[in-house]
Amino acid sequence: MKMAENMTEDEARDKAREILGLNSVGGGVIAGVGQLTTFNQLGFKGRLDKPDGWYLPSTKTDTAVVLETKASKISLEAPQVKELLKNIRIMNAKYEHVVGILYNGESTRVFKNGEEYKEKGSEKLHNIAYYTALFNVDHIDKQRIYELTARINNCLHFEFGIRNLYHRMIFTACALVAKRYDALMVSGMDYSEFHNAILNCLNKELLRDKHQNQKLSLLADVFSEIRMNLNVNSEDEKEQEHVKDLISNFIDWVTEISDCLNSDAWRGEDVMGIFFNEFNRYKKKSESGQVLTPEHITDFIYRILEVNQDDRVLDAACGSGGFLVKAMANMIDEAGGVNTEKAREIKQNQLFGIEFDREIYALACANMLIHKDGKTNLEQLDARSEEAGKWIGRQNITKVLMNPPYEKKYGCMDIVENVLDSVPPHTSCAFILPDKKLEKTGKKQMARIFEHHRLRKVVKLPEDLFFGIGMTTSIFVFETGVPQSGHEFFTCWMKDDGLETVKNKGRHDVHDRWPEIERYWIDVVSKQSGDDTCVWESPDECLSYQVPVKPFEISEEDFRKTAMDYLMYKKGIDAKAFSGQLFDRIMYSATIDGDEDNVIISLRKR
């Protein structure tokens, strides 16, 4: 094939056929490329115009595609656009939704019916699935997912009797995975049929990837271990029907959530994050658990680290995979959507996670499987260990996004240090940590870290961010392989993220304030200026954002009270008894008068 700048129209057409995949289109679709076929021959009566390529589904409510190609030396300007729009109008006679593609082997312009489509990735030519998805619903009703999750949780908790929080999550996640891979789950199943449908699907899918990652069988093992208090083997007909009704409802709810997540409208909404938020409402105070990173903060960290579609992203304490899911969604969006070849590459080769806890690791596997992505790049390891460090070192990581466990017993700073030491030099690494975590870390360890790595930025997060745990946190951004050497670091304080607490549902952006707030703080962090809270700090003096101390002030009223208290003390008067007597005298012996602006209290002489 010649270089794009020398490509003839025939060569551009052949290249388009290959990239679009029109040679391998299945049944129910007429597809092809050429110069001789007329619209009349394709079923558009009386139209003798000749498209360069076509994709015509038998179902007229589906999206059709028409291709117009040019030699690479011809720029895609108005005359070429006019020709394409004419062909779109011809196809609109039968199809409500038509995508037109103008391509010269180098550049691409795309039109949805008569309007040009200029979203990310549209300048490249993609597989046909990218274009047939352009008319799909462009948003997901996230609140609906919350409502369905609440119903699922209540059903599993109170009806199925699954008391363990993580088991309810794993049970639901496995059902979503099974649905994602087309397991046969239908209304009217008894429990045995339902359970086996999920387990068989998991085993089948995991067997397919077993040669790549033996540990994924853990997901099926954990699912098999879940126990419930529901009497699924009762011989009573009413009880059997009740169980079938519960299972039918559960299947309906899971199917609706699955349809949302499988649609092209998915933008990285973290399913497990929603599960955590909802299921945690029933968590006992005695149960320990993870601190879930709010989804809007995972997105914020992704953006301040300037992650892009070519990065290789690591979360070495990935929990249920929230950072990885958000990174995947943003990277795929930048690449042009879930139907691009680059999206497949991102899912398979650019997302890396480590989780030590067995059941949380199973959740992470499920979260990845739900989205048919980088499941083979998850490892169940201790992120503090030499083994984990060597694994990280082999992945050629370019960005790190993490919210490690904060407690010393879990080795928080040991994890941070191991990650910093294991990724390549000049890697940007962001960690969410308690505000004073670095200052409370041993001097020897911090000296060791600063000998090889530099703290670049500290962004203090809103103090009520982690609803209900009483922990204030900051984002600490390091650059690896560059010693601190006394260099100052930038700090700022995002005091408010615009979210509000909704009863029994945690914190939500009920007034849609976050997008504007996020843009503001991305600009501040990028420019390292622009907000009153911006301060440069010396590592010799502190290792966190320093909240300004409120200046001491004393009012005239404060002065009079203090003076009066002192005089009564000097005269031996009990201030508390005296104030009580004075209050009684005013309340019960005084005459109260006045108007809207003044109150007059009069005491009679004795």
Side-chain angles (χ1 to χ4, degrees):
M1 185 72 71
K2 295 180 181 179
M3 296 297 291
E5 56 268 21
N6 300 317
M7 196 174 290
T8 66
E9 183 174 338
D10 286 342
E11 290 170 331
R13 190 182 305 108
D14 289 341
K15 185 177 179 182
R17 178 200 289 118
E18 181 182 343
I19 295 173
L20 289 166
L22 294 181
N23 284 334
S24 57
V25 171
V29 175
I30 299 172
V33 298
Q35 279 188 307
L36 302 179
T37 305
T38 66
F39 276 114
N40 185 66
Q41 292 171 299
L42 293 172
F44 296 86
K45 219 167 190 180
R47 303 308 301 250
L48 300 180
D49 305 85
K50 298 174 182 178
D52 287 317
W54 53 91
Y55 177 93
L56 303 172
S58 58
T59 304
K60 297 302 184 285
T61 54
D62 290 346
T63 299
V65 179
V66 62
L67 172 70
E68 185 66 31
T69 58
K70 300 295 175 185
S72 57
K73 66 182 180 181
I74 299 177
S75 59
L76 306 181
E77 302 297 340
Q80 289 72 40
V81 171
K82 183 178 180 181
E83 186 176 357
L84 177 65
L85 292 178
K86 180 185 68 173
N87 289 343
I88 290 174
R89 287 193 296 273
I90 291 172
M91 290 176 66
N92 275 145
K94 288 191 175 184
Y95 294 92
E96 181 182 355
H97 297 147
V98 178
V99 173
I101 305 170
L102 190 56
Y103 180 65
N104 67 359
E106 186 175 60
S107 302
T108 307
R109 292 181 70 177
V110 181
F111 293 80
K112 291 173 62 177
N113 290 337
E115 298 293 325
E116 186 162 11
Y117 179 76
K118 293 183 176 181
E119 296 300 319
K120 291 177 183 176
S122 62
E123 71 282 356
K124 297 179 181 179
L125 191 64
H126 300 288
N127 187 276
I128 194 69
Y130 171 88
Y131 301 101
T132 58
L134 292 185
F135 282 97
N136 290 356
V137 176
D138 62 358
H139 71 280
I140 287 175
D141 187 348
K142 194 172 176 182
Q143 189 57 40
R144 176 61 176 165
I145 297 179
Y146 268 101
E147 292 170 3
L148 292 169
T149 304
R151 293 182 188 179
I152 288 170
N153 183 64
N154 290 339
C155 179
L156 294 180
H157 190 206
F158 299 113
E159 298 285 357
F160 283 68
I162 303 177
R163 306 300 182 204
N164 183 286
L165 167 72
Y166 294 119
H167 286 182
R168 295 199 296 275
M169 295 174 65
I170 291 168
F171 191 91
T172 309
C174 288
L176 278 166
V177 171
K179 196 67 187 174
R180 180 71 157 118
Y181 289 92
D182 301 320
L184 182 62
M185 295 193 296
V186 295
S187 297
M189 280 182 159
D190 61 28
Y191 181 76
S192 178
E193 293 171 324
F194 170 69
H195 187 274
N196 289 336
I198 295 175
L199 196 57
N200 290 340
C201 180
L202 289 177
N203 286 326
K204 179 182 177 182
E205 179 58 30
L206 297 176
L207 184 63
R208 187 180 307 168
D209 290 293
K210 203 167 184 179
H211 67 285
Q212 297 182 51
N213 195 334
Q214 293 282 343
K215 295 186 182 73
L216 280 173
S217 61
L218 174 65
L219 181 60
D221 292 341
V222 173
F223 177 75
S224 299
E225 293 166 7
I226 295 173
R227 298 292 177 263
M228 59 187 69
N229 293 326
L230 184 66
N231 187 5
V232 296
N233 296 316
S234 172
E235 295 183 2
D236 182 88
E237 289 187 9
K238 286 187 177 180
E239 185 66 24
Q240 289 177 6
E241 287 303 314
H242 177 61
V243 171
K244 287 183 178 181
D245 288 343
L246 292 176
I247 292 170
S248 294
N249 288 336
F250 181 86
I251 290 172
D252 288 344
W253 299 329
V254 164
T255 298
E256 189 172 345
I257 292 176
S258 181
D259 288 344
C260 289
L261 299 174
N262 292 341
S263 78
D264 296 298
W266 178 75
R267 293 293 180 270
E269 289 81 1
D270 181 12
V271 184
M272 295 302 151
I274 293 174
F275 288 173
F276 263 118
N277 283 335
E278 181 54 41
F279 291 174
N280 268 318
R281 295 206 292 127
Y282 297 93
K283 187 176 177 180
K284 296 177 183 177
K285 291 183 179 179
S286 60
E287 289 182 301
S288 62
Q290 294 197 328
V291 177
L292 174 73
T293 311
E295 186 181 318
H296 68 298
I297 297 300
T298 62
D299 186 69
F300 176 67
I301 295 176
Y302 176 96
R303 297 186 189 286
I304 64 172
L305 248 61
E306 299 181 346
V307 183
N308 64 62
Q309 62 176 308
D310 296 318
D311 276 313
R312 296 168 68 84
V313 176
L314 168 71
D315 183 352
C318 69
S320 63
F323 267 121
L324 297 177
V325 169
K326 178 55 68 176
M328 176 184 67
N330 287 344
M331 292 163 76
I332 287 174
D333 184 49
E334 182 186 341
V338 295
N339 295 305
T340 61
E341 187 63 35
K342 180 62 175 177
R344 191 175 296 108
E345 170 70 15
I346 290 167
K347 290 178 178 184
Q348 292 178 354
N349 301 314
Q350 294 178 225
L351 304 165
F352 303 87
I354 292 175
E355 176 54 43
F356 182 64
D357 184 276
R358 180 173 179 269
E359 291 185 344
I360 302 299
Y361 173 75
L363 278 174
C365 291
N367 208 0
M368 297 294 103
L369 280 161
I370 286 168
H371 303 293
K372 287 187 178 176
D373 68 43
K375 54 187 177 294
T376 56
N377 299 320
L378 295 176
E379 290 289 328
Q380 188 191 5
L381 294 169
D382 183 341
R384 300 168 293 181
S385 68
E386 183 180 352
E387 181 186 3
K390 289 180 178 178
W391 183 84
I392 293 170
R394 293 194 295 269
Q395 310 311 324
N396 194 27
I397 300 301
T398 61
K399 297 286 168 62
V400 174
L401 298 79
M402 287 182 60
N403 183 7
Y406 301 152
E407 296 90 339
K408 188 176 181 180
K409 65 180 179 180
Y410 295 130
C412 175
M413 290 307 297
D414 294 335
I415 293 174
V416 170
E417 184 177 7
N418 199 26
V419 169
L420 292 173
D421 289 345
S422 301
V423 298
H426 306 295
T427 300
S428 293
C429 304
F431 304 90
I432 298 180
L433 299 168
D435 288 337
K436 304 297 181 182
K437 189 66 178 178
L438 299 191
E439 287 156 328
K440 292 180 179 180
T441 299
K443 290 184 179 180
K444 286 185 178 180
Q445 185 171 23
M446 286 311 305
R448 212 165 49 233
I449 290 173
F450 283 153
E451 184 180 353
H452 302 287
H453 314 293
R454 184 174 297 181
L455 179 62
R456 289 288 189 183
K457 301 174 185 178
V458 176
V459 181
K460 180 173 169 57
L461 296 170
E463 298 206 331
D464 57 351
L465 177 69
F466 289 107
F467 177 74
I469 71 166
M471 179 77 69
T472 60
T473 58
S474 300
I475 302 166
F476 295 81
V477 180
F478 286 84
E479 180 185 357
T480 63
V482 181
Q484 193 73 37
S485 301
H487 285 85
E488 292 184 338
F489 58 93
F490 169 77
T491 72
C492 60
W493 183 7
M494 182 199 297
K495 294 182 180 179
D496 182 24
D497 58 5
L499 275 65
E500 296 181 7
T501 301
V502 179
K503 187 176 180 181
N504 293 329
K505 292 185 178 179
R507 301 179 73 246
H508 294 272
D509 189 16
V510 292
H511 300 299
D512 199 28
R513 294 177 57 204
W514 170 247
E516 183 178 349
I517 292 172
E518 182 185 38
R519 283 192 294 271
Y520 173 83
W521 282 105
I522 288 171
D523 188 60
V524 168
V525 175
S526 173
K527 294 178 179 176
Q528 299 184 152
S529 64
D531 188 81
D532 291 342
T533 65
C534 294
V535 179
W536 286 83
E537 299 285 2
S538 167
D540 298 326
E541 297 177 3
C542 65
L543 297 174
S544 61
Y545 176 82
Q546 300 299 293
V547 176
V549 178
K550 189 176 181 181
F552 177 76
E553 294 179 351
I554 184 169
S555 66
E556 183 178 347
E557 183 180 349
D558 292 330
F559 179 78
R560 291 188 182 207
K561 181 180 181 302
T562 303
M564 183 68 73
D565 288 343
Y566 178 72
L567 287 174
M568 285 191 287
Y569 166 75
K570 292 285 287 184
K571 292 183 178 295
I573 299 173
D574 185 330
K576 188 174 182 180
F578 177 76
S579 64
Q581 292 172 7
L582 182 62
F583 178 79
D584 289 344
R585 180 84 189 277
I586 292 173
M587 282 293 295
Y588 306 120
S589 304
T591 300
I592 300 176
D593 199 1
D595 54 31
E596 291 183 358
D597 298 319
N598 301 285
V599 176
I600 302 172
I601 300 174
S602 304
L603 295 174
R604 293 191 303 274
K605 292 181 179 180
R606 286 189 174 179

